Amino acid sequence: MWYNGRMIDLHIHSNRSDGSDTPEEIVRKGAALGLRAMALTDHDTVRGSLEFLETARNLGVETVPAVELSVRFESGEVHVLGYGIDPRNPDLTAGLEFFRSARLDRNRKMVEQLARVGYPVTFDEVVACAGDPELVGRPHFAEALRRRGYVKTTAEAFDRLIGDHGPGYVPRRFMDAAEGVRLVREAGGIPVWAHPRLGFSNDSIVKILGKLVPKGLAGLEAYHAEHTPRKREDVAAIARGRGLLVTGGTDYHGKLKPGLALGTGFGDLSVPDELWDSLRSSMKSAK
Ligand code: AMP
Ligand code: ZN
Ligand code: FE
Ligand code: FE
């Protein structure tokens, strides 16, 4: 796609969730790339937003505080981006606490479950793999199981023990998609469905929009590193046909998603900054 404007990246993870770069490093890298606007969209947390906004102020990059919520639609997992949320909003704080305690409870239960099926690891061992008790997820369980010598690789840990149907897996309590959308709205933000073509067909996207747009969903992330060019076009067309916002970003995770670069994804992504102008006007009218 030929585009005469500047590029933006509205989907970025820092080391406050499961990326490797600090929020400050991300802003510096984005500024060096000449990005016009960036959004920090850590999973279920806004811990990095202050550092992100502060750094950007001195570097001339436009930024917006944001978040990516993992929520449930029927039996599937949907990710909802919230742009322009107020990181200090009490409803948001309470909502994010739900995610925090759901993860913590799940992790404690997985320690018990793994012992029950014959693969004991301690919670401390798992935390040591994550570096921060707030950040523990299944990849760290996989690493702890590997260090104990139960499995040779992370992939084997998922295949044999902690994959979605594995004997050592415990699901966490999920929030409904509609509730996630409402939470973003309550916090003054604009809810956008992240990477909808990872896991859903065009037809099911249209059906789900029928449920979530009335709840306040405002846009679709069409431009995503892992959407093929065809999927990007399809999602943009679905959004535009319904007067919804179109957004885009790489889903950068630093070293933790090797080969995926800030701003350009796998090399073929270029998110036009006209999308930022539309999102920004929506954010202004939401205030
Ligand atoms: P959690 O949110 O703690 O349940 O962990 C989910 C994370 O585990 C995902 O974001 C993936 O990074 C990773 N994961 C899930 N399934 C697999 C799998 N089959 N192989 C490798 N990694 C996986
Ligand atoms: Zn992530
Ligand atoms: Fe996501
Ligand atoms: Fe993401």
Side-chain angles (χ1 to χ4, degrees):
M1 184 181 53
W2 181 82
Y3 184 69
N4 200 15
R6 290 174 62 190
M7 276 173 25
I8 58 175
D9 191 338
L10 302 180
H11 192 151
I12 302 171
H13 296 275
S14 77
N15 66 354
R16 302 306 191 274
S17 70
D18 58 347
S20 63
D21 294 359
T22 65
E24 176 174 346
E25 285 167 340
I26 288 166
V27 177
R28 293 193 180 283
K29 286 181 184 177
L33 285 171
L35 294 181
R36 178 181 158 204
M38 309 170 79
L40 183 67
T41 56
D42 278 322
H43 297 282
D44 310 327
T45 181
V46 293
R47 291 199 289 166
S49 59
L50 230 65
E51 179 182 325
F52 188 71
L53 299 177
E54 281 293 310
T55 311
R57 238 187 2 196
N58 305 318
L59 290 174
V61 184
E62 294 175 59
T63 47
V64 58
V67 69
E68 180 176 22
L69 304 177
S70 303
V71 291
R72 179 82 83 195
F73 187 86
E74 290 172 359
S75 60
E77 186 173 328
V78 163
H79 291 182
V80 174
L81 298 160
Y83 289 112
I85 37 110
D86 168 9
R88 293 194 185 83
N89 177 286
D91 293 322
L92 182 73
T93 307
L96 294 179
E97 179 53 28
F98 169 89
F99 290 94
R100 209 182 77 92
S101 69
R103 175 165 290 280
L104 211 66
D105 289 351
R106 191 289 302 264
N107 290 339
R108 299 231 175 254
K109 286 186 184 139
M110 255 179 80
V111 167
E112 291 165 14
Q113 182 61 19
L114 281 164
R116 219 172 279 136
V117 300
Y119 298 90
V121 290
T122 66
F123 191 66
D124 287 349
E125 281 168 50
V126 181
V127 170
C129 295
D132 178 342
E134 296 280 306
L135 295 179
V136 171
R138 277 187 283 167
H140 311 109
F141 276 92
E143 176 60 13
L145 292 163
R146 196 190 62 76
R147 288 186 191 176
R148 279 265 186 156
Y150 300 141
V151 294
K152 289 207 169 58
T153 61
T154 291
E156 190 191 342
F158 276 95
D159 289 347
R160 282 182 40 214
L161 294 170
I162 59 168
D164 286 353
H165 304 285
Y169 174 61
V170 178
R172 51 183 199 278
R173 281 179 281 129
F174 261 92
M175 183 183 283
D176 278 334
E179 206 183 322
V181 166
R182 198 185 57 193
L183 179 58
V184 170
R185 286 285 184 188
E186 277 172 351
I190 302 292
V192 171
W193 184 358
H195 48 71
R197 281 306 304 274
L198 305 185
F200 297 88
S201 66
N202 289 336
D203 285 348
S204 43
I205 290 170
V206 168
K207 279 193 201 121
I208 294 171
L209 286 178
K211 297 265 167 69
L212 295 184
V213 171
K215 305 285 183 189
L217 185 72
L220 295 178
E221 183 181 55
Y223 302 97
H224 182 272
E226 291 163 89
H227 276 170
T228 60
R230 177 62 199 268
K231 289 179 180 177
R232 294 171 196 168
E233 281 172 34
D234 287 354
V235 174
I238 292 171
R240 294 209 167 94
R242 285 158 184 77
L244 297 173
L245 291 166
V246 175
T247 71
T250 54
D251 217 344
Y252 178 73
H253 284 70
K255 285 199 291 266
L256 295 165
K257 272 198 191 177
L260 199 166
L262 193 67
T264 52
F266 294 111
D268 72 336
L269 194 70
S270 130
V271 183
D273 73 343
E274 60 194 17
L275 301 181
W276 169 242
D277 294 318
S278 315
L279 176 61
R280 222 174 29 162
S281 5
S282 294
M283 291 190 303
K284 278 191 186 132
S285 23
K287 294 287 168 240

